[in-house]
Amino acid sequence: MQDASTQVDFWFDPLCPWAWLSSRWLLNVEQVRPVRARWHVMSLAVLNEDKEVDEGYRRLLDEAWGPVRVAVAAERHHGPEVLGDLYTALGTRYHVQGAPRTKETLVSALSEAGLPADLAAAAESSEYDEALRASHRDGIDRVGQEVGTPVISVSGVSFFGPVVSPAPQGEDAGRLWDGVLLVAGTDGFFELKRSRTRAPIFD
């Protein structure tokens, strides 16, 4: 049986819809299993900056710098415990409400998370990029360069994923978590994968 203090580390980019669904799954897991999430920032822009991607995705990556810079600035000035609420505020706007990726959206999310609006200025600054890259590297080095966001880590084992749509709720969320623990506890287990046949489904 899990100890009540079991920590799950989760790396996210606020713009990734699949990370958003996985994070909502993990919050549901917290309601039915004795685990607590610790949130960390990773960056699709950093992950793909030296890769050839199509023009449309490159535009998205250009816009992806702002939210992660703001998240890292918030963590730097107000502690890692603010990341969960800020991520929820950002993700709800981007993925549920379809809000534009603008400074106004950042300010609104910061306000909801109880953080000062002036943190939004970090979106246009490279001041926090070293810390952003360090946080990103901490997550991605655990799983390898050929994957992306989200990354979860529990009991010293890290994976990309889970990739789910929609996010399981209630005991369904708990059973998926039990499966994650099972494979994490299997020495030499690396991968289960199939092609996605469903777009992200948001509540």
Side-chain angles (χ1 to χ4, degrees):
M1 183 175 180
Q2 278 182 269
D3 184 86
S5 64
T6 296
Q7 299 289 326
V8 186
D9 292 284
F10 187 103
W11 279 261
F12 66 91
D13 184 309
L15 292 192
C16 178
W18 299 104
W20 173 251
L21 289 170
S22 296
S23 72
R24 300 310 95 180
W25 159 73
L26 187 54
L27 290 178
N28 274 281
V29 172
E30 287 187 333
Q31 304 304 310
V32 295
R33 297 291 187 271
V35 302
R36 286 294 175 266
R38 293 188 297 198
W39 306 97
H40 309 272
V41 182
M42 64 183 298
S43 170
L44 290 172
V46 171
L47 183 68
N48 291 282
E49 62 185 343
D50 296 324
K51 298 178 182 177
E52 290 189 12
V53 299
D54 65 59
E55 184 178 343
Y57 192 52
R58 179 59 62 191
R59 285 196 297 269
L60 172 67
L61 294 176
D62 289 343
E63 294 179 339
W65 284 102
V68 290
R69 284 168 165 169
V70 170
V72 168
E75 180 182 22
R76 173 65 60 88
H77 293 289
H78 300 277
E81 63 275 5
V82 306
L83 282 178
D85 287 344
L86 179 56
Y87 182 25
T88 290
L90 286 168
T92 298
R93 284 159 175 76
Y94 293 141
H95 304 299
V96 180
Q97 300 172 357
R101 294 182 283 271
T102 61
K103 182 177 180 180
E104 289 73 22
T105 299
L106 291 170
V107 169
S108 175
L110 287 164
S111 176
E112 181 180 317
L115 294 165
D118 60 8
L119 286 171
E124 303 298 328
S125 170
S126 61
E127 179 180 356
Y128 301 96
D129 283 7
E130 183 176 348
L132 169 60
R133 290 177 183 278
S135 182
H136 173 86
R137 190 165 53 249
D138 184 28
I140 205 69
D141 283 354
R142 298 167 187 246
V143 291
Q145 297 295 320
E146 70 275 12
V147 300
T149 175
V151 169
I152 64 169
S153 184
V154 59
S155 302
V157 180
S158 304
F159 295 110
F160 161 66
V163 176
V164 291
S165 177
Q169 300 183 17
E171 188 56 26
D172 288 341
R175 283 194 293 269
L176 177 55
W177 173 250
D178 296 340
V180 169
L181 286 183
L182 179 63
V183 298
T186 302
D187 181 52
F189 176 85
F190 293 103
E191 185 175 8
L192 280 172
K193 188 176 177 69
R194 63 175 176 167
S195 297
R196 293 193 296 266
T197 59
R198 182 183 296 171
I201 300 172
F202 307 119
D203 291 334

